[in-house]
Amino acid sequence: MGAVPTLGVVAIDCPDPVALAEFYRAVLDWGAPDVSDDGHWVTLPNPAGGAGIAFQRVPDYRPPAWPSADNPQQMHLDLEVTDMEAAHARVLDLGAKLLDDKPKGFRVYADPVGHPFCLCAC
């Protein structure tokens, strides 16, 4: 490894790492997550070899409020799609909640524990 780091995972706080990993596994159509022995840390490896997503259990988790400065989103994922209507129906069926469909080229959703994410057809 050199002095320049590479991105390994993006870690997301949540109340149930296994459940949230399963949601994103279904959304992204990735393989099975790697679950720690105690279930407090779950990694969803990227099958293409890039950065994955990790989920960590946080006691007394409070979801972000979008849009709000009181409990800000702190981060979100942009997921690129080529068929917005099909992707929209799919994520809603998997448990996402639509937050905003007004912006041109993308839509904002909340995952099952409240983290915002966008479907982008930009």
Side-chain angles (χ1 to χ4, degrees):
M1 233 33 221
V4 178
T6 59
L7 181 61
V9 297
V10 173
I12 299 175
D13 293 349
C14 60
D16 183 345
V18 173
L20 195 56
E22 284 298 326
F23 169 79
Y24 280 104
R25 182 206 57 75
V27 167
L28 296 167
D29 196 25
W30 286 6
D34 295 326
V35 181
S36 67
D37 290 341
D38 64 6
H40 287 258
W41 181 269
V42 177
T43 304
L44 193 57
N46 183 333
I53 306 172
F55 306 88
Q56 63 182 351
R57 184 180 317 262
V58 172
D60 302 320
Y61 170 78
R62 291 182 341 166
W66 188 90
S68 171
D70 293 334
N71 199 15
Q73 67 176 327
Q74 300 171 8
M75 59 80 68
H76 73 272
L77 300 173
D78 282 350
L79 307 175
E80 296 179 5
V81 298
T82 56
D83 184 337
M84 179 64 78
E85 295 310 316
H88 168 81
R90 186 167 178 270
V91 299
L92 292 179
D93 187 52
L94 291 168
K97 176 183 172 191
L98 178 65
L99 297 177
D100 191 353
D101 63 354
K102 293 175 189 67
K104 184 175 177 159
F106 69 95
R107 294 181 187 166
V108 183
Y109 301 83
D111 68 23
V113 299
H115 295 289
F117 70 94
C118 296
L119 294 181
C120 304
C122 303

